[in-house]
Amino acid sequence: MADSQWILTPDDPRLDELCHLLAERADALDQSGDWPTEQLALCGEYGVYRWFAPQAWGGLAWSELDIVCGYLRLSAACLTTTFVITQLIGACRRITDCDNEALKQRLVTGLLSGKTFATVGISHLTTSRRHLAKPALHAAETAGGFVLNGFSPWVTGADHADEIVLGATLDDGRQILVALSTAVPGVRAGEPVKLVGLSASHTGEIHCENVSVPRDCLIDGPVDNVMAGRSGAKPGGLQTSTLAVGLASAAIRFLEHESQSRTDLQSPAEGLRAEQMTLQADLLSIAAGQTVCSNGELRARANSLVLRATQAALVSAKGTGYASGHPAGRWCREALFFLVWSCPAPVLAANLCELAGLG
């Protein structure tokens, strides 16, 4: 078993060991659709969850640049596991950054060790179902806290979560974020959605029926637009682009390997790798605080690259790549995820124009 103190920097060679363990399990995970219990446990043993947390809570307090470097390596190994981790870390950050000290004392140690799995249910506050007249998840304030009714869509690991950082809306339009234990009466996880890719993330709905949430579980609010607060990472950051670049790198590595015996693949492999390295350099520059392009521009480029790189890998694999269980086919399906995961309208427009040949 790995020592959780091992990985102290993003270039620690033992991170290669973890990535190898994740990569060799990725195809079987995709085929089975089973929850990545073993993979998440490995990440806990190797201290991955400590990258993101403040040192005061036993974390390593990695910089944004270091976190991007770590995510690049994990996503090239197993996108499903890495995506699940982004949701866990989204929950962790919102908890560690809030003012509720009792909540942090109760939850943070288990979250950083991997013994407690937390996820987020916030899409209905950001991009999903905001157009509805009635909020998807309603909160009524009481003397002791809140009562929740409704549901949250697209909750990763909904049927495996111990805690969910959940957003809800009051009658006056203000919103709250709470840490909701899934053991509370009235909480029910829906059947996971069968996805084109990443079905092992067990993404589905969380339903609440007259669920009482005490005030000591409050993370933020009630306020207008709680997602604009300071509690954790905001939607539209770098992690989505980072995972796309990581997946593209894995596909390009396969293409490069194939090109060693096939000269017709050498020029495409070199061109895609050069594009990937330029994009990665811009990503790392932004993570380091430099303004080289907007996050939206970066995301549009990452989406474009991951779609083309994974399809190039499939072309190089020929019919074998189209057979179930081959990584090239899995990468192509996973790449489609970036067209729908927290994808802002300008990024969608840019990708649509490229797909339509409009430049």
Side-chain angles (χ1 to χ4, degrees):
M1 180 180 293
D3 184 339
S4 63
Q5 301 293 325
W6 274 6
I7 299 174
L8 301 179
T9 61
D11 57 357
D12 192 307
R14 282 162 291 211
L15 186 50
D16 290 329
E17 179 180 307
L18 172 61
C19 289
H20 174 74
L21 293 171
L22 295 178
E24 68 180 10
R25 292 163 169 77
D27 285 318
L29 179 68
D30 177 66
Q31 289 286 292
S32 70
D34 293 338
W35 178 246
T37 301
E38 183 180 5
Q39 289 86 341
L40 294 173
L42 282 168
C43 290
E45 291 172 12
Y46 279 81
V48 170
Y49 310 132
R50 297 172 60 238
W51 296 355
F52 309 85
Q55 292 179 346
W57 291 97
L60 299 176
W62 276 15
S63 68
E64 183 71 14
L65 177 60
D66 287 347
I67 289 171
V68 165
C69 290
Y71 268 151
L72 282 170
R73 297 175 73 181
L74 291 177
S75 57
C78 180
L79 185 66
T80 295
T81 301
T82 311
F83 169 59
V84 171
I85 289 172
T86 67
Q87 305 307 288
L88 166 61
I89 297 310
C92 289
R93 281 183 153 178
R94 287 178 170 86
I95 291 169
T96 58
D97 288 355
C98 77
D99 292 330
N100 190 335
E101 293 299 323
L103 183 68
K104 290 189 278 192
Q105 291 286 349
R106 179 165 60 86
L107 294 179
V108 170
T109 300
L111 292 170
L112 298 190
S113 68
K115 293 180 179 178
T116 300
F117 177 72
T119 188
V120 292
I122 56 174
S123 65
H124 51 290
L125 300 183
T126 55
T127 58
S128 176
R129 301 181 181 271
R130 290 184 66 190
H131 61 284
L132 299 179
K134 182 179 179 180
L137 188 59
H138 175 263
E141 192 164 8
T142 66
F146 304 88
V147 174
L148 306 183
N149 279 284
F151 75 103
S152 177
W154 306 115
V155 180
T156 296
D159 58 346
H160 286 268
D162 301 299
E163 298 281 339
I164 303 175
V165 172
L166 198 60
T169 304
L170 280 72
D171 286 332
D172 60 6
R174 292 181 301 159
Q175 299 170 337
I176 59 171
L177 282 180
V178 298
L180 177 66
S181 168
T182 56
V184 171
V187 179
R188 177 177 62 85
E191 189 74 17
V193 179
K194 185 67 176 177
L195 302 172
V196 172
L198 292 87
S199 282
S201 68
H202 282 218
T203 298
E205 297 177 349
I206 282 290
H207 295 262
C208 294
E209 184 176 354
N210 294 322
V211 174
S212 296
V213 183
R215 197 166 293 274
D216 60 10
C217 292
L218 186 66
I219 294 173
D220 201 355
V223 294
D224 293 328
N225 191 11
V226 73
M227 297 306 295
R230 63 180 178 81
S231 56
K234 309 300 185 294
L238 294 179
Q239 70 178 14
T240 313
S241 297
T242 302
L243 268 60
V245 174
L247 178 60
S249 183
I252 296 168
R253 188 182 306 127
F254 176 83
L255 187 62
E256 289 170 333
H257 179 268
E258 294 295 299
S259 72
Q260 293 175 8
S261 57
R262 296 170 55 189
T263 57
D264 60 311
L265 298 179
Q266 290 175 0
S267 181
E270 290 171 358
L272 285 168
R273 178 59 77 188
E275 182 180 352
Q276 185 265 328
M277 292 303 293
T278 299
L279 180 58
Q280 181 169 307
D282 287 348
L283 170 66
L284 296 178
S285 294
I286 294 173
Q290 303 173 36
T291 305
V292 296
C293 66
S294 70
N295 284 5
E297 291 170 329
L298 188 80
R299 176 70 190 278
R301 290 164 58 196
N303 279 11
S304 173
L305 176 64
V306 73
L307 289 168
R308 290 181 286 110
T310 54
Q311 291 179 49
L314 180 63
V315 169
S316 70
K318 300 183 178 179
T320 303
Y322 200 62
S324 180
H326 193 284
R330 168 171 59 85
W331 292 329
C332 286
R333 288 184 287 105
E334 290 176 341
L336 296 174
F337 182 52
F338 294 98
L339 295 177
V340 298
W341 179 26
S342 300
C343 202
V347 175
L348 281 176
N351 291 147
L352 281 170
C353 286
E354 180 180 25
L355 292 170
L358 300 178

